Amino acid sequence: MSQDLEKARNLTQIIYFLYAASIIVGITAIVAIIINYVKRDEVAGTWLESHFRWQIRTFWFSVLWAVIGTLTSIIGIGIVVLIVAGIWAIYRIVKGMLNFYDNKPMYA
């Protein structure tokens, strides 16, 4: 494995850890998404590119569902939306990490 690909692999792993940590300490997701966008060109054309796309989509859909859940909490359904969104985000992080450790790209 080339040194550049190994560095990109390590970075992808760190980003997954930052997203996982954001379940407890939300700010780490902000750090992770910034790294995703800043380093995205460095993984272009590799199997890691699909993981970056997976991570970015997970972040933005989590934000979307958090906003929807917060706004609808006034009518009571928001709590359910937030719980389901949290479970979905955990699923995405775990699924991504499992594929990452198996050296498999993520599907779109």
Side-chain angles (χ1 to χ4, degrees):
M1 188 180 310
S2 77
Q3 189 172 1
D4 287 342
L5 187 58
E6 184 63 29
K7 287 166 76 171
R9 192 177 188 292
N10 290 338
L11 183 62
T12 305
Q13 181 180 26
I14 289 167
I15 293 168
Y16 272 120
F17 288 146
L18 288 169
Y19 282 120
S22 73
I23 294 165
I24 297 168
V25 184
I27 193 75
T28 60
I30 303 295
V31 174
I33 194 68
I34 290 169
I35 295 171
N36 275 137
Y37 280 114
V38 169
K39 297 291 190 173
R40 187 165 52 172
D41 290 342
E42 293 179 24
V43 298
T46 70
W47 66 278
L48 296 170
E49 181 178 18
S50 66
H51 283 274
F52 268 56
R53 187 173 48 253
W54 181 265
Q55 292 167 337
I56 290 168
R57 287 179 180 170
T58 300
F59 174 84
W60 287 115
F61 278 103
S62 293
V63 169
L64 173 66
W65 287 113
V67 168
I68 291 170
T70 301
L71 292 175
T72 58
S73 65
I74 297 167
I75 59 173
I77 194 155
I79 302 303
V80 174
V81 172
L82 290 170
I83 290 169
V84 170
I87 292 168
W88 176 83
I90 291 168
Y91 162 79
R92 298 268 300 186
I93 293 166
V94 170
K95 178 70 174 169
M97 290 178 94
L98 290 174
N99 275 22
F100 172 79
Y101 285 120
D102 287 340
N103 295 314
K104 294 179 186 175
M106 293 308 300
Y107 41 85

